[in-house]
Amino acid sequence: MKVLVPVKRVVDYNVKVRVKADGTGVDIANVKMSMNPFDEIAVEEAVRLKEAGIATEVVAVSCGVAACQETIRAAMAIGADRGILVESDVELQPLAVAKLLKALCVKEQPTVVICGKQAIDDDSNQTGQMLAALMGWPQATFASKVALGDGAATVTREIDGGLETIEIKLPAVITTDLRLNEPRYATLPNIMKAKKKPLDTVKPADLGVDVAPRLATLKVAEPPKRSAGVRVADVAQLVDKLKNEAKVI
């Protein structure tokens, strides 16, 4: 069983992002970049499946600039066997990434694709669902527990009302939620081993995919700053301020 895991290079979750002065986007110059946290969970789950003897190979895939190789190497340090970089300097939107992953799925023939439910930079939560639709595969999103059996997967999903357990046939697409697992720290020996693992680089044109952006970002702005709070003397004054100043009641 081969498992394909897409990983995205994003601004590290500990970094406070800043908007460019011209409002065209987020400033990433000299900013620490890391693997998307939900994708780390996906890699960890795939590696656990391999350690359990269920999966035979874990392939990490990233789409983006050449620096995305670092993200793939990070996935290899966790336990992925090899990596594929789809190198492109064009802004890759969810549909373009889904099409690239579809082309790789046709080529690699994985049994399951495990990906993060969303990326913390654009929060689109679209790529996994789009990939499943393009491939015509079943999908199980927001997974908090995954069990793979003979030709099927039993997935516990996190939904608004609690938990939902479903069974889907393989091949399939699974997207990971926060509580699926806790990713391991990559040890120094594994980081060194990752440098020697195979990493192939292809272009979108090699896969026959047009990645031209379909949406244009008009402006990026920081949220308005919250005004300082005030202390009220009693409930009556609180109600008065909510009614006459905040106008929320």
Side-chain angles (χ1 to χ4, degrees):
M1 179 185 292
K2 182 187 293 185
V3 182
L4 192 75
V5 185
V7 293
K8 187 176 184 181
R9 179 175 181 262
V10 299
V11 175
D12 189 88
Y13 69 93
N14 289 310
V15 174
K16 180 176 173 59
V17 296
R18 295 172 298 174
V19 176
K20 293 180 180 178
D22 57 5
T24 57
V26 172
D27 186 6
I28 60 173
N30 301 317
V31 171
K32 181 184 178 182
M33 307 294 284
S34 301
M35 187 192 305
N36 179 48
F38 290 106
D39 296 344
E40 282 190 89
I41 295 170
V43 175
E44 174 68 25
E45 190 66 19
V47 172
R48 290 187 185 188
L49 289 172
K50 184 184 175 186
E51 290 173 344
I54 299 172
T56 55
E57 185 181 28
V58 177
V59 183
V61 178
S62 190
C63 305
V65 296
C68 291
Q69 291 185 34
E70 301 170 6
T71 308
I72 297 175
R73 295 292 180 193
M76 290 176 176
I78 294 174
D81 298 295
R82 60 186 176 93
I84 302 173
L85 170 63
V86 183
E87 187 176 351
S88 174
D89 293 327
V90 177
E91 176 196 357
L92 296 176
Q93 295 175 349
L95 182 58
V97 175
K99 289 180 176 179
L100 292 172
L101 293 176
K102 177 193 174 184
L104 290 175
C105 285
V106 171
K107 180 181 178 182
E108 294 286 335
Q109 293 295 307
T111 305
V112 63
V113 177
I114 305 178
C115 50
K117 69 171 184 176
Q118 66 194 82
I120 62 172
D121 52 0
D122 57 16
D123 274 333
S124 292
N125 181 21
Q126 296 176 339
T127 303
Q129 293 89 327
M130 288 178 170
L131 174 61
L134 291 171
M135 292 298 296
W137 287 357
Q139 59 177 298
T141 55
F142 317 132
S144 61
K145 185 178 180 181
V146 175
L148 298 186
D150 186 17
T154 302
V155 180
T156 300
R157 304 179 59 239
E158 298 203 6
I159 59 175
D160 291 340
L163 298 175
E164 176 187 52
T165 301
I166 61 173
E167 184 176 275
I168 55 175
K169 293 182 179 180
L170 300 177
V173 177
I174 299 173
T175 71
T176 63
D177 212 322
L178 192 63
R179 281 156 288 277
L180 178 59
N181 61 53
E182 185 174 342
R184 71 193 70 184
Y185 286 103
T187 62
L188 182 58
N190 286 338
I191 292 173
M192 300 306 293
K193 290 177 183 177
K195 294 181 179 181
K196 298 181 180 180
K197 291 182 179 180
L199 195 162
D200 298 326
T201 301
V202 297
K203 300 285 187 181
D206 300 333
L207 300 174
V209 178
D210 178 16
V211 295
R214 301 165 66 90
L215 304 173
T217 301
L218 302 180
K219 184 180 180 182
V220 177
E222 293 186 6
K225 293 183 179 180
R226 294 180 59 181
S227 57
V230 295
R231 181 174 294 180
V232 295
D234 51 34
V235 175
Q237 187 180 1
L238 173 61
V239 173
D240 178 68
K241 286 185 175 294
L242 291 174
K243 185 175 182 180
N244 299 314
E245 293 184 20
K247 299 185 184 301
V248 294
I249 59 174

